[in-house]
Amino acid sequence: MSNKGTAVITGAANGIGQAYAVRLAKDGFDIAVADVVEADKTKELVEAEGVKFFSAVVDVTSPEATIAFAAQVQKNLGSITALVNNAGIYPWKSFEETDYDTWRKVIGVNLDGPFLMSKAFVPYMRENKYGRIVNVASTTFFLNAPQMTAYIASKGGVIGFTRALASEVGADGITVNVIAPGLTNTKSMRSENAEIYEFLPKMQAIPKVIEPEDLVGVVSFLVSKDSSFVTGQTIAADGGQVRN
Ligand SMILES: NC(=O)c1ccc[n+]([C@@H]2O[C@H](COP(=O)([O-])OP(=O)(O)OC[C@H]3O[C@@H](n4cnc5c(N)ncnc54)[C@H](O)[C@@H]3O)[C@@H](O)[C@H]2O)c1
């Protein structure tokens, strides 16, 4: 076991989650990944940093699978100190095109996921009287952004859930915060909407396309001991487009 303990990251087989995994490995955490696809590349990158890695194919919308995963992480790596609820989906659809199944799916992954993962992992953190939970929202919550009703509703829910959970677990040494990234360069996001990269970054105070690596320092701080008295907060990491 590393001296920082284990950081659990959902959706870290790809994109921004993979970058969080690599940074937290560099910080000295052992890394556990839950994703619906295999996390082979993430395993290679994390192990290159000299820490332990464990992953399982887990759907974060499953109450049974998330509980079973927490037990596996405890058994394989132990000392669970951090949870980053990063798994998320963002189908680009107008309100008219958003049927109830799409709505349920987006709320399921983006909001039920952090709830279920927290249900599964908070008991281990309570036992240790220490924990760091980072939920992932999006600055679309603070913007005039069309075609994203289910997504923005889910990310608003994530901010509300974070505030409420922070109030219940603080006495046990557990903090709960949100990182709200701006538009970030990932394959998934480019496949949903490539044109948006042409104009949106220009509206930021720092007018450059955000790369996953630009976000990792915020998560590194929020899972560190240095953030002990920061809880229930939302940190926008978006090049200064919104002021929340
Ligand atoms: N890319 C952006 O511009 C951007 C901006 C703001 C916020 N975000 C948020 O950041 C997070 C990561 O985004 P990304 O662009 O890296 O996405 P991505 O698609 O590259 O990665 C998301 C990962 O989540 C996994 N996943 C999907 N459904 C899952 C489920 N049910 N259970 C477990 N894993 C599941 C996917 O397999 C994938 O590996 C999301 O929460 C997203 O909403 C992204």
Side-chain angles (χ1 to χ4, degrees):
M1 185 193 86
S2 82
N3 61 4
K4 294 270 181 81
T6 299
V8 179
I9 310 169
T10 67
N14 293 291
I16 305 169
Q18 186 175 75
Y20 295 149
V22 173
R23 172 56 188 264
L24 299 191
K26 281 187 206 296
D27 287 352
F29 288 88
D30 292 326
I31 302 294
V33 170
D35 200 305
V36 282
V37 298
E38 297 286 352
D40 298 343
K41 182 68 191 170
T42 309
K43 175 179 162 63
E44 187 189 317
L45 294 168
V46 163
E47 286 181 344
E49 300 299 331
V51 298
K52 288 193 199 146
F53 180 86
F54 174 77
S55 72
V57 172
V58 175
D59 184 335
V60 296
T61 67
S62 161
E64 298 77 23
T66 47
I67 292 281
F69 178 65
Q72 286 174 320
V73 173
Q74 176 63 24
K75 187 164 165 244
N76 283 274
L77 299 177
S79 183
I80 295 155
T81 48
L83 167 64
V84 182
N85 284 311
N86 163 79
I89 54 172
Y90 34 77
W92 207 270
K93 286 186 174 187
S94 70
F95 176 63
E96 301 302 331
E97 292 164 332
T98 303
D99 57 21
Y100 186 56
D101 282 351
T102 306
W103 173 270
R104 286 292 335 143
K105 182 131 205 266
V106 173
I107 300 290
V109 178
N110 296 4
L111 183 55
D112 296 357
F115 168 76
L116 292 171
M117 288 294 287
S118 300
K119 289 290 277 184
F121 282 92
V122 162
Y124 297 99
M125 293 179 174
R126 278 202 204 272
E127 233 167 68
N128 301 333
K129 295 269 175 245
Y130 182 85
R132 298 277 180 266
I133 300 175
V134 180
N135 293 322
V136 175
S138 157
T139 49
T140 51
F141 182 69
F142 305 103
L143 283 171
N144 169 22
Q147 315 255 52
M148 303 187 100
T149 47
Y151 181 73
I152 293 176
S154 74
K155 294 302 191 180
V158 165
I159 292 172
F161 171 58
T162 300
R163 293 179 182 187
L165 182 61
S167 301
E168 292 204 27
V169 296
D172 280 331
I174 303 169
T175 64
V176 194
N177 291 290
V178 169
I179 178 172
L183 176 71
T184 304
N185 192 16
T186 64
K187 253 195 216 155
S188 297
M189 187 62 210
R190 277 201 183 269
S191 70
E192 288 294 332
N193 188 339
E195 301 90 74
I196 196 171
Y197 289 92
E198 302 306 318
F199 64 91
L200 201 132
K202 293 184 185 135
M203 294 156 77
Q204 299 164 188
I206 303 161
K208 291 183 198 159
V209 174
I210 302 166
E211 298 295 334
E213 292 70 25
D214 297 324
L215 304 172
V216 299
V218 174
V219 170
S220 170
F221 167 66
L222 290 175
V223 300
S224 75
K225 292 206 164 120
D226 284 348
S227 63
S228 304
F229 272 75
V230 180
T231 197
Q233 305 302 313
T234 296
I235 300 184
D238 71 336
Q241 186 178 12
V242 304
R243 314 292 151 101
N244 64 316

